[in-house]
Amino acid sequence: MIHFEPESDRALFTSALQFAQEQVRNLVEKHPGFYPMYTSDGVWKHEGPAWTHWCDGFFPGMMWIFRKHFEPGTPDEKYWLEQAIRYSTPLESRKHDRDVHDLGFIFLSTYLRWFRLTKDPALNDVIIQAGKTLAMRFKEKGGYLRSFVADNSLFVDIMMNVGIIFYAARETNDRRLRDIALRHCLTTRRVLVRGDGSTAHEGLFDTDTGEFLKQTTHQGFRGDSCWSRGLAWSLYGFATSYEYSRDPRFLDTSEMCADYYITHANADGVPPWDFNAPSESRKQVDTSAAAIAASGLLRLSRLLHDPVKGHFYWSTGLRILQTLCEKHLADKTPGWEGVLKGGVYHVHKGLGVNESVMWGEYFFIEALDHALSVVG
Ligand code: GLY
């Protein structure tokens, strides 16, 4: 398998990573202690609502990645380490947060990186507790982790969080936790992933019987459409679940989602915000879905047994990154505080549409880091 990007890609990706560091450093200095979510006209701090509190790990998560790119003990490495710790520490109490289904987003981007660096068992305990807390959302009838909106609701987004339950199960040798994680993945695969590899955002259940009722959506165009970010969450999340469980059904599902993404995204690798949105609305892309898909494809490429397909996913991930760097970087827009333009949070609520969004920034940086680390 050829895991190599030409010099020009390396220069492009390195320069994007440097720009991201400048933008994050500027925000830290402008609003110390502020956790950004989505921009309004390119500005992070505004009065717009959050809808739900799921993003606080992404800003420090970027800092943990930045520090890896400097020699230990150098001023830049010390700066990013100090900031990463400063912004990660206040998140600890969220390990008991029962209001969100997003504890994987919050802790795998921060405490897991911190623990891997220091091997401090107290940090691992935080991640394990967060995994146990997330598992409390499990609905025995139906076999799924409930979303933040209601008992009868399953979101495709939870596929990005279930990894923390697999992690906690592995660290504590807890078969019940592993079973919850496996059953959640199998239910999501059965009710939200369609035969063509597209995904629904939400599934609704009868809570008395556990019967699955219908596919619906909050952030997508329609219940029977394919919201592009949901698809990207599924692509990435099933790859992660395969890494933890080695259940080949999850690898198949991730590949199906990847193939749907690749065959339906625009030719440059960036998708419309919903693959089934009507023509005018389809012009609105979602660069955050592209960043998640790029990172997911790079990850998936390492897991495949077929080197040709693995190389195809790897190359496609790089191609998406090239497009994001060449067409969507905010470096030519004076005053824009984000890194990537053209992200979308919630079209129907009018939140963060054609803006920078924190998860888009994070997964873009994660994917750049992954691409660059392969060749050093
Ligand atoms: N709530 C997760 C997302 O907006 O994708």
Side-chain angles (χ1 to χ4, degrees):
M1 190 187 304
I2 306 168
H3 272 173
F4 181 76
E5 71 265 26
E7 287 301 321
S8 61
D9 279 358
R10 192 178 307 147
L12 191 67
F13 298 165
T14 303
S15 147
L17 200 61
Q18 279 164 355
F19 173 64
Q21 288 167 35
E22 283 164 29
Q23 295 295 76
V24 171
R25 207 185 260 260
N26 288 341
L27 191 61
V28 167
E29 282 164 19
K30 190 171 174 189
H31 299 297
F34 172 65
Y35 291 82
M37 191 174 190
Y38 62 92
T39 61
S40 175
D41 293 327
V43 173
W44 285 115
K45 199 160 187 191
H46 52 79
E47 298 303 315
W51 187 40
T52 164
H53 291 275
W54 61 288
C55 290
D56 292 352
F58 295 136
F59 198 49
M62 291 167 77
M63 299 167 180
W64 284 110
I65 296 172
F66 292 157
R67 70 147 281 285
K68 281 174 51 192
H69 289 262
F70 298 98
E71 289 300 321
T74 57
D76 284 317
E77 193 268 348
K78 285 204 264 188
Y79 174 81
W80 289 119
L81 180 60
E82 193 183 305
Q83 296 303 331
I85 292 174
R86 177 172 296 157
Y87 280 79
S88 298
T89 303
L91 303 181
E92 181 178 344
S93 62
R94 302 283 305 274
K95 68 187 176 190
H96 295 300
D97 187 344
R98 304 218 25 206
D99 291 337
V100 298
H101 55 239
D102 304 295
L103 298 184
F105 281 135
I106 294 169
F107 289 98
L108 298 178
S109 54
T110 53
Y111 276 72
L112 184 57
R113 291 200 157 89
W114 195 357
F115 171 62
R116 282 185 175 151
L117 181 70
T118 65
K119 304 284 184 290
D120 176 353
L123 297 171
N124 208 28
D125 289 345
V126 173
I127 309 166
I128 291 167
Q129 179 56 55
K132 289 180 177 171
T133 302
L134 184 64
M136 292 177 198
R137 306 188 79 77
F138 191 68
K139 306 304 292 180
E140 197 58 47
K141 286 183 182 163
Y144 61 94
L145 297 159
R146 57 153 287 181
S147 81
F148 81 99
V149 297
D151 268 354
N152 66 346
S153 158
L154 159 68
F155 273 23
V156 73
D157 324 24
I158 301 173
M159 280 309 302
M160 289 298 282
N161 294 284
V162 69
I164 200 168
I165 303 182
F166 278 119
Y167 181 86
R170 193 181 68 192
E171 292 297 298
T172 58
N173 214 9
D174 185 329
R175 292 180 68 90
R176 191 192 63 89
L177 281 179
R178 183 177 159 85
D179 189 50
I180 285 175
L182 284 171
R183 286 174 64 196
H184 174 82
C185 296
L186 288 171
T187 303
T188 304
R189 177 175 181 269
R190 179 170 62 83
V191 305
L192 296 185
V193 184
R194 308 187 184 110
D196 63 355
S198 70
T199 50
H201 181 193
E202 185 186 36
L204 296 182
F205 290 80
D206 180 325
T207 51
D208 291 331
T209 63
E211 182 191 356
F212 172 65
L213 299 176
K214 66 170 181 174
Q215 296 181 346
T216 177
T217 193
H218 291 262
Q219 286 155 280
F221 170 58
R222 268 187 351 203
D224 62 349
S225 73
C226 183
W227 173 49
S228 60
R229 192 158 69 256
L231 181 77
W233 290 144
S234 183
L235 183 176
Y236 192 131
F238 275 103
T240 308
S241 297
Y242 172 71
E243 281 186 284
Y244 279 112
S245 68
R246 294 290 150 182
D247 186 325
R249 290 171 292 185
F250 302 154
L251 187 61
D252 282 352
T253 308
S254 178
E255 283 184 63
M256 281 175 65
C257 294
D259 293 345
Y260 185 94
Y261 182 95
I262 293 166
T263 50
H264 290 75
N266 298 332
D268 64 4
V270 177
W273 70 278
D274 186 298
F275 289 106
N276 304 104
S279 53
E280 267 312 297
S281 173
R282 274 178 67 85
K283 289 185 186 152
Q284 176 60 58
V285 295
D286 181 5
T287 55
S288 76
I292 298 156
S295 199
L297 286 167
L298 298 184
R299 201 174 177 118
L300 178 60
S301 72
R302 289 190 285 109
L303 303 173
L304 295 180
H305 310 295
D306 173 354
V308 176
K309 197 154 191 199
H311 177 61
F312 174 59
Y313 286 156
W314 177 262
S315 316
T316 309
L318 294 189
R319 167 85 183 112
I320 297 170
L321 284 180
Q322 283 168 357
T323 301
L324 293 176
C325 291
E326 285 167 354
K327 287 171 58 175
H328 297 281
L329 218 57
D331 57 348
K332 291 173 195 65
T333 312
W336 194 278
E337 294 178 351
V339 179
L340 267 190
K341 298 173 76 176
V344 172
Y345 182 18
H346 201 309
V347 165
H348 307 298
K349 288 184 187 291
L351 305 179
V353 179
N354 204 18
E355 295 287 344
S356 292
V357 294
M358 193 33 66
W359 53 95
E361 315 278 83
Y362 172 78
F363 286 101
F364 178 52
I365 297 310
E366 184 186 77
L368 289 175
D369 174 53
H370 190 159
L372 286 166
S373 68
V374 170
V375 285

Short mmCIF file of all heavy atoms in Angstrom, two decimals, residues 51-52 54 101-102 105 148 155 157 201 219 227 229-230 233 292 344-346 359, ligand 1:
data_model
loop_
_atom_site.label_atom_id
_atom_site.label_comp_id
_atom_site.label_asym_id
_atom_site.label_seq_id
_atom_site.Cartn_x
_atom_site.Cartn_y
_atom_site.Cartn_z
N TRP A 51 -27.91 24.83 21.41
CA TRP A 51 -28.84 23.69 21.22
C TRP A 51 -28.50 22.59 22.22
O TRP A 51 -29.30 22.19 23.03
CB TRP A 51 -28.84 23.19 19.77
CG TRP A 51 -29.89 22.14 19.51
CD1 TRP A 51 -31.18 22.12 20.00
CD2 TRP A 51 -29.77 20.95 18.74
NE1 TRP A 51 -31.85 21.01 19.55
CE2 TRP A 51 -31.01 20.26 18.78
CE3 TRP A 51 -28.73 20.39 17.99
CZ2 TRP A 51 -31.25 19.06 18.11
CZ3 TRP A 51 -28.97 19.19 17.32
CH2 TRP A 51 -30.21 18.53 17.40
N THR A 52 -27.27 22.07 22.16
CA THR A 52 -26.84 21.07 23.15
C THR A 52 -25.33 21.25 23.37
O THR A 52 -24.63 21.74 22.50
CB THR A 52 -27.17 19.63 22.68
OG1 THR A 52 -26.41 18.70 23.46
CG2 THR A 52 -26.86 19.41 21.21
N TRP A 54 -22.05 19.85 23.47
CA TRP A 54 -21.32 18.64 23.09
C TRP A 54 -19.92 18.90 22.59
O TRP A 54 -19.20 17.96 22.27
CB TRP A 54 -22.13 17.90 22.01
CG TRP A 54 -22.36 18.66 20.73
CD1 TRP A 54 -23.20 19.72 20.55
CD2 TRP A 54 -21.75 18.41 19.46
NE1 TRP A 54 -23.17 20.15 19.25
CE2 TRP A 54 -22.30 19.35 18.55
CE3 TRP A 54 -20.82 17.48 18.99
CZ2 TRP A 54 -21.92 19.40 17.20
CZ3 TRP A 54 -20.46 17.53 17.65
CH2 TRP A 54 -21.00 18.48 16.77
N HIS A 101 -25.30 12.86 25.06
CA HIS A 101 -24.81 11.54 24.61
C HIS A 101 -23.40 11.67 24.01
O HIS A 101 -22.99 10.85 23.21
CB HIS A 101 -25.78 10.96 23.56
CG HIS A 101 -26.04 11.87 22.39
ND1 HIS A 101 -27.27 12.34 22.04
CD2 HIS A 101 -25.18 12.41 21.49
CE1 HIS A 101 -27.17 13.11 20.97
NE2 HIS A 101 -25.90 13.16 20.61
N ASP A 102 -22.71 12.74 24.37
CA ASP A 102 -21.49 13.15 23.66
C ASP A 102 -20.20 12.97 24.46
O ASP A 102 -19.20 13.64 24.18
CB ASP A 102 -21.63 14.62 23.25
CG ASP A 102 -22.88 14.84 22.43
OD1 ASP A 102 -22.96 14.30 21.33
OD2 ASP A 102 -23.80 15.54 22.92
N PHE A 105 -17.01 12.36 22.48
CA PHE A 105 -16.45 13.57 21.86
C PHE A 105 -15.61 14.35 22.88
O PHE A 105 -14.53 14.85 22.58
CB PHE A 105 -17.58 14.50 21.39
CG PHE A 105 -18.23 14.12 20.09
CD1 PHE A 105 -19.61 14.13 19.95
CD2 PHE A 105 -17.47 13.77 18.98
CE1 PHE A 105 -20.23 13.81 18.75
CE2 PHE A 105 -18.07 13.45 17.76
CZ PHE A 105 -19.45 13.47 17.66
N PHE A 148 -29.86 12.70 23.46
CA PHE A 148 -30.15 13.70 24.50
C PHE A 148 -31.59 14.20 24.43
O PHE A 148 -32.07 14.78 25.39
CB PHE A 148 -29.16 14.88 24.40
CG PHE A 148 -29.50 15.91 23.36
CD1 PHE A 148 -30.15 17.09 23.70
CD2 PHE A 148 -29.19 15.69 22.03
CE1 PHE A 148 -30.48 18.03 22.75
CE2 PHE A 148 -29.52 16.64 21.06
CZ PHE A 148 -30.17 17.81 21.41
N PHE A 155 -29.70 8.54 17.94
CA PHE A 155 -29.04 9.39 16.94
C PHE A 155 -27.86 8.63 16.31
O PHE A 155 -27.12 7.94 17.03
CB PHE A 155 -28.46 10.65 17.60
CG PHE A 155 -29.38 11.82 17.74
CD1 PHE A 155 -30.76 11.68 17.75
CD2 PHE A 155 -28.86 13.11 17.89
CE1 PHE A 155 -31.60 12.77 17.89
CE2 PHE A 155 -29.69 14.21 18.03
CZ PHE A 155 -31.06 14.05 18.02
N ASP A 157 -25.23 10.08 15.48
CA ASP A 157 -24.05 10.75 16.06
C ASP A 157 -23.43 9.94 17.21
O ASP A 157 -22.25 10.06 17.50
CB ASP A 157 -24.40 12.13 16.65
CG ASP A 157 -25.43 12.90 15.88
OD1 ASP A 157 -26.23 12.30 15.15
OD2 ASP A 157 -25.45 14.14 16.01
N HIS A 201 -30.61 10.20 10.29
CA HIS A 201 -30.07 10.88 11.47
C HIS A 201 -30.61 10.25 12.76
O HIS A 201 -29.86 9.95 13.67
CB HIS A 201 -30.45 12.36 11.41
CG HIS A 201 -29.92 13.16 12.57
ND1 HIS A 201 -30.35 14.43 12.84
CD2 HIS A 201 -29.01 12.87 13.52
CE1 HIS A 201 -29.71 14.89 13.90
NE2 HIS A 201 -28.89 13.96 14.34
N GLN A 219 -31.33 17.52 12.06
CA GLN A 219 -30.44 18.40 11.30
C GLN A 219 -30.39 18.11 9.81
O GLN A 219 -29.85 18.90 9.04
CB GLN A 219 -29.03 18.34 11.90
CG GLN A 219 -28.95 19.08 13.23
CD GLN A 219 -27.83 18.55 14.10
OE1 GLN A 219 -27.98 17.53 14.77
NE2 GLN A 219 -26.71 19.24 14.11
N TRP A 227 -28.34 13.00 5.65
CA TRP A 227 -27.63 14.18 6.19
C TRP A 227 -26.14 13.85 6.14
O TRP A 227 -25.71 12.83 6.69
CB TRP A 227 -28.12 14.39 7.62
CG TRP A 227 -27.43 15.43 8.42
CD1 TRP A 227 -27.15 16.71 8.06
CD2 TRP A 227 -26.96 15.27 9.77
NE1 TRP A 227 -26.53 17.37 9.10
CE2 TRP A 227 -26.40 16.52 10.15
CE3 TRP A 227 -26.96 14.22 10.68
CZ2 TRP A 227 -25.84 16.71 11.42
CZ3 TRP A 227 -26.41 14.42 11.94
CH2 TRP A 227 -25.86 15.65 12.29
N ARG A 229 -23.37 14.98 7.42
CA ARG A 229 -22.53 14.81 8.62
C ARG A 229 -22.89 13.52 9.35
O ARG A 229 -22.01 12.85 9.88
CB ARG A 229 -22.61 16.02 9.55
CG ARG A 229 -21.53 15.95 10.61
CD ARG A 229 -21.18 17.27 11.24
NE ARG A 229 -22.21 17.82 12.08
CZ ARG A 229 -22.99 18.82 11.74
NH1 ARG A 229 -22.87 19.40 10.57
NH2 ARG A 229 -23.91 19.27 12.57
N GLY A 230 -24.17 13.18 9.36
CA GLY A 230 -24.55 11.92 9.99
C GLY A 230 -23.86 10.74 9.31
O GLY A 230 -23.40 9.80 9.97
N TRP A 233 -20.33 10.67 10.47
CA TRP A 233 -20.22 10.13 11.84
C TRP A 233 -20.28 8.59 11.79
O TRP A 233 -19.58 7.90 12.50
CB TRP A 233 -21.35 10.63 12.72
CG TRP A 233 -21.40 12.07 13.15
CD1 TRP A 233 -22.54 12.84 13.29
CD2 TRP A 233 -20.32 12.94 13.57
NE1 TRP A 233 -22.23 14.09 13.74
CE2 TRP A 233 -20.89 14.19 13.92
CE3 TRP A 233 -18.93 12.78 13.67
CZ2 TRP A 233 -20.12 15.27 14.37
CZ3 TRP A 233 -18.16 13.87 14.11
CH2 TRP A 233 -18.75 15.09 14.44
N ILE A 292 -14.62 15.27 8.75
CA ILE A 292 -14.87 14.02 9.50
C ILE A 292 -14.67 12.83 8.56
O ILE A 292 -14.05 11.82 8.94
CB ILE A 292 -16.31 14.01 10.06
CG1 ILE A 292 -16.51 15.16 11.05
CG2 ILE A 292 -16.63 12.67 10.73
CD1 ILE A 292 -17.96 15.60 11.20
N VAL A 344 -21.46 23.70 8.61
CA VAL A 344 -22.89 23.86 8.92
C VAL A 344 -23.18 23.19 10.25
O VAL A 344 -22.75 22.06 10.49
CB VAL A 344 -23.77 23.20 7.82
CG1 VAL A 344 -25.24 23.19 8.22
CG2 VAL A 344 -23.60 23.91 6.48
N TYR A 345 -23.95 23.87 11.11
CA TYR A 345 -24.40 23.23 12.35
C TYR A 345 -25.85 22.77 12.18
O TYR A 345 -26.12 21.58 12.08
CB TYR A 345 -24.23 24.19 13.52
CG TYR A 345 -24.61 23.62 14.87
CD1 TYR A 345 -24.73 22.25 15.09
CD2 TYR A 345 -24.85 24.47 15.96
CE1 TYR A 345 -25.07 21.74 16.34
CE2 TYR A 345 -25.18 23.96 17.21
CZ TYR A 345 -25.30 22.60 17.40
OH TYR A 345 -25.64 22.09 18.63
N HIS A 346 -26.79 23.71 12.12
CA HIS A 346 -28.20 23.33 12.14
C HIS A 346 -28.97 24.24 11.17
O HIS A 346 -29.29 25.38 11.51
CB HIS A 346 -28.73 23.47 13.56
CG HIS A 346 -29.95 22.68 13.86
ND1 HIS A 346 -31.08 22.72 13.06
CD2 HIS A 346 -30.25 21.83 14.87
CE1 HIS A 346 -32.00 21.93 13.57
NE2 HIS A 346 -31.53 21.37 14.67
N TRP A 359 -16.26 21.23 15.55
CA TRP A 359 -15.97 19.82 15.22
C TRP A 359 -15.32 19.73 13.83
O TRP A 359 -14.52 18.82 13.59
CB TRP A 359 -17.25 18.97 15.29
CG TRP A 359 -18.38 19.51 14.48
CD1 TRP A 359 -18.73 19.16 13.22
CD2 TRP A 359 -19.30 20.53 14.88
NE1 TRP A 359 -19.81 19.91 12.81
CE2 TRP A 359 -20.19 20.76 13.80
CE3 TRP A 359 -19.46 21.29 16.06
CZ2 TRP A 359 -21.21 21.70 13.85
CZ3 TRP A 359 -20.49 22.22 16.10
CH2 TRP A 359 -21.35 22.42 15.01
N1 GLY B 1 -24.97 17.03 17.25
C1 GLY B 1 -23.91 16.60 16.47
C2 GLY B 1 -23.84 17.25 15.15
O1 GLY B 1 -24.33 18.36 15.01
O2 GLY B 1 -23.30 16.69 14.26
#
